[in-house]
Amino acid sequence: MSRLPFYLIVGLLMVLGIGTSLHRHIQMEVPWTPGELRQIWEVEAIVDFTALGEPVRVDLALPSHQRGYRILTENTASPGYGLSFLQDETGRRAQWSIRRATGSQQLYYSVRLQVTDDRRQRQVSRPELREISWERPYDTAAAQVIERAWMRSADPYTFTRELIRDFNEDRQGENARLLLTQFERTALLVRLLNQAGVHAREVSGLVLEDGRRRQALTSWIMVFTDEENWALFNPRTADQGQPENLMLWETGGRAVLEVQGGSNSRVTFSMLSRSQPAAAAVRSQLADDTLLNFSIHSLPLEEQALFQTILLIPIGALVVVFLRILVGIKTSGTFMPVLIALAFIQTTLPTGLIGFLLIVAVGLVIRNYLSYLNLLLVARVSAVIITVIAIISIFSVLSYRVGLNAGLTITFFPMIILAWTIERMSILWEEEGPKEVLIQGGGSLITAVLAYLAMNNPWIRHITFNFLGVQLIIMSLILLLGNYTGYRLLELRRFKPVTED
């Protein structure tokens, strides 16, 4: 029979597992290792204005996901105000409203931003060219300034740089000085660019500096070469490109703050930078799962904690399969060591080993007595289960009385599994003798300890919980191991005499 379908299934599982894991790491920036830190910016915007005793509506532009920054959470504080978040072609805005307000008012908006390695340019709609009209003599001055910069340029970007430099003090001519007496610098440059046929708009950005308070937005010029490509220019220095510490706050060409029913309005910004574990930084993003971004983070915290342990079981199963198929270690029960390893995670390894050995030893003594009663299997196993519960209860009480609180964690042992382990070992003792009991019991214990060491590793716990594609990779490895039909490592000792000869 052809093995091609089998290997195709294994390969498909491996590719899907690796692909989904890489997607979460690259697209969602989930780290491969625990303990990685991410830089987080906390920015707070304070809107101050004086209400005039009439209905008030306040519109504030809000930032969006962009090059180098991703929004994690947003919060507002506006007692008594209604609040809505609006989205249109110009961007996101927060709108506060109230039927009547009087006197000084303050509205708060805060956002947590994660610094990312994503350097892809954000898609921004290109503005339409505006019809520009000037009064005399500004029309002549504007035309001469445009002509001078146009002759020294080759494309929209170089034209913008030359135009900005013509308004710097070292190159500023009479025409430029005349225009600056009538118009604000950034708005003037955008008007001149539009008149020259260059698509451009004024945008507002926030320069992020740790610990700064009462900061204002700065104006920048966004220049387009086509529908998709654009570049940012500093209207004061003509520098092209977005600085690393600049976050674009408003890119739609609208006012950052609009207040109806109030006067003396302004918005100021305070910011603080801090480091945070990467897993915690992206948790809010992982909660909004899609089919390709499937994760446990969308569940309540209690269920997340449960799945964090459940997702470790395939790791233990892989250890058992490897030790039994390739190494040849015998165990009492196929996957009993995995459940014992889970108990070790709850109890810690020293406490778990002592508790396991005590329970099994005492259980074997009592089971030996039950064998003389000639009970049926179901009744005998039930009696062993009750005995195991009694042993665990007695050990827990005694350890608590003598001040060993670690002994209380013995209750995490799977009682049914322990009862069946004692039953199997007792039958094995009667049929094969104590040597086989020691071989299988010792093999079970060694396998459980190795599975515990693998499952309790912080890196493995992080990977299995945050990358569900790892489960597909483990499945493919187990299928490959299950296809092995060669010698086990412990069987090779039979050939030792051959090598000696």
Side-chain angles (χ1 to χ4, degrees):
M1 181 177 178
S2 174
R3 303 293 293 172
L4 180 60
F6 170 78
Y7 289 113
L8 287 177
I9 293 174
V10 171
L12 180 61
L13 290 174
M14 185 71 72
V15 170
L16 285 176
I18 295 175
T20 55
S21 299
L22 289 175
H23 173 267
R24 288 177 63 76
H25 175 68
I26 297 172
Q27 189 70 23
M28 309 302 300
E29 297 187 0
V30 180
W32 291 120
T33 58
E36 289 189 25
L37 298 178
R38 293 286 188 268
Q39 184 181 8
I40 302 296
W41 282 97
E42 296 185 357
V43 180
E44 181 182 68
I46 304 177
V47 178
D48 295 285
F49 66 96
T50 302
L52 304 178
E54 56 188 59
V56 175
R57 193 179 76 180
V58 179
D59 286 88
L60 176 67
L62 301 182
S64 303
H65 299 306
Q66 57 188 272
R67 172 183 176 271
Y69 299 97
R70 177 184 293 121
I71 295 176
L72 296 180
T73 58
E74 297 176 291
N75 295 286
T76 61
S78 50
Y81 281 80
L83 174 64
S84 299
F85 290 96
L86 307 178
Q87 176 80 48
D88 56 26
E89 65 278 359
T90 62
R92 302 171 59 244
R93 304 184 72 84
Q95 186 175 93
W96 289 274
S97 59
I98 193 172
R99 180 61 63 179
R100 180 180 176 84
T102 305
S104 178
Q105 304 287 310
Q106 279 192 333
L107 305 175
Y108 295 87
Y109 167 81
S110 63
V111 58
R112 292 175 66 248
L113 302 159
Q114 176 190 340
V115 178
T116 69
D117 296 328
D118 186 4
R119 290 295 178 263
R120 291 174 297 179
Q121 192 177 67
R122 177 186 170 194
Q123 294 297 320
V124 180
S125 60
R126 187 177 70 170
E128 298 295 331
L129 291 176
R130 294 183 298 170
E131 189 70 29
I132 305 300
S133 60
W134 307 85
E135 297 179 357
R136 292 184 177 274
Y138 303 110
D139 55 348
T140 304
Q144 292 180 1
V145 168
I146 292 173
E147 182 180 2
R148 181 183 178 189
W150 189 267
M151 296 301 296
R152 298 196 306 269
S153 64
D155 52 52
Y157 291 164
T158 56
F159 173 71
T160 303
R161 285 199 298 268
E162 293 299 322
L163 185 64
I164 295 174
R165 287 169 182 167
D166 283 342
F167 283 86
N168 292 340
E169 292 184 0
D170 56 341
R171 285 174 49 174
Q172 194 177 100
E174 294 182 358
N175 292 322
R177 283 194 293 269
L178 175 63
L179 292 171
L180 287 174
T181 60
Q182 186 68 18
F183 302 96
E184 191 272 330
R185 184 187 185 94
T186 306
L188 171 62
L189 290 170
V190 172
R191 286 171 62 91
L192 293 171
L193 288 169
N194 282 184
Q195 182 171 337
V198 176
H199 296 265
R201 70 158 58 105
E202 179 181 357
V203 298
S204 299
L206 181 64
V207 178
L208 299 176
E209 298 179 7
D210 189 23
R212 300 300 296 271
R213 301 174 62 250
R214 298 289 179 178
Q215 300 299 299
L217 297 177
T218 56
S219 296
W220 298 75
I221 299 176
M222 184 177 289
V223 178
F224 294 77
T225 57
D226 51 42
E227 292 287 349
E228 298 180 354
N229 297 312
W230 55 268
L232 210 60
F233 287 86
N234 189 321
R236 293 161 292 280
T237 64
D239 292 338
Q240 180 178 344
Q242 182 176 344
E244 293 294 329
N245 64 336
L246 177 68
M247 182 193 65
L248 296 179
W249 193 275
E250 200 284 325
T251 59
R254 294 180 57 182
V256 174
L257 177 65
E258 298 177 347
V259 177
Q260 298 180 13
S263 61
N264 302 322
S265 61
R266 65 168 185 164
V267 56
T268 56
F269 300 85
S270 302
M271 62 209 76
L272 187 67
S273 174
R274 61 188 181 89
S275 296
Q276 182 175 322
V282 300
R283 184 172 292 121
S284 60
Q285 182 184 2
L286 294 178
D288 300 327
D289 284 329
T290 61
L291 182 60
L292 293 178
N293 179 30
F294 184 77
S295 80
I296 305 300
H297 295 80
S298 57
L299 298 176
L301 289 179
E302 184 177 355
E303 280 69 23
Q304 288 187 40
L306 176 62
F307 270 98
Q308 192 170 29
T309 301
I310 292 176
L311 293 173
L312 294 174
I313 294 179
I315 297 293
L318 179 62
V319 172
V320 171
V321 171
F322 175 81
L323 292 177
R324 291 197 57 155
I325 294 178
L326 293 185
V327 180
I329 292 179
K330 295 182 179 180
T331 61
S332 178
T334 307
F335 291 103
M336 180 272 288
V338 178
L339 300 178
I340 299 301
L342 286 175
F344 287 167
I345 292 176
Q346 304 294 332
T347 64
T348 70
L349 186 58
T351 303
L353 284 174
I354 295 173
F356 177 77
L357 293 174
L358 285 175
I359 293 171
V360 172
V362 175
L364 283 174
V365 172
I366 296 176
R367 168 61 179 79
N368 185 53
Y369 169 74
L370 291 176
S371 63
Y372 293 105
L373 301 180
N374 294 323
L375 299 177
L376 295 175
L377 176 63
V378 176
R380 188 169 66 242
V381 173
S382 299
V384 174
I385 292 174
I386 297 173
T387 302
V388 169
I389 295 174
I391 294 171
I392 292 176
S393 302
I394 292 172
F395 285 161
S396 298
V397 173
L398 290 177
S399 63
Y400 178 75
R401 288 296 181 89
V402 299
L404 298 176
N405 292 332
L408 297 176
T409 57
I410 293 178
T411 55
F412 287 107
F413 277 108
M415 300 175 186
I416 306 298
I417 299 301
L418 284 176
W420 274 107
T421 300
I422 293 171
E423 176 68 18
R424 287 196 190 97
M425 288 185 175
S426 179
I427 295 175
L428 191 64
W429 190 302
E430 296 172 356
E431 296 179 352
E432 303 290 340
K435 181 180 178 181
E436 191 65 24
V437 172
L438 290 176
I439 291 176
Q440 292 193 16
S444 298
L445 206 54
I446 292 173
T447 304
V449 171
L450 293 177
Y452 161 80
L453 294 176
M455 296 162 65
N456 203 44
N457 183 281
W459 184 80
I460 291 179
R461 294 174 69 92
H462 172 82
I463 288 292
T464 55
F465 183 66
N466 291 284
F467 297 93
L468 292 186
V470 173
Q471 308 297 323
L472 300 178
I473 298 175
I474 295 173
M475 171 72 81
S476 64
L477 293 176
I478 290 176
L479 291 177
L480 286 176
L481 289 174
N483 198 41
Y484 178 76
T485 56
Y487 286 108
R488 295 172 173 84
L489 292 178
L490 293 180
E491 292 177 339
L492 298 179
R493 62 185 176 182
R494 296 183 302 170
F495 300 97
K496 186 177 181 182
V498 177
T499 60
E500 293 176 351
D501 294 341

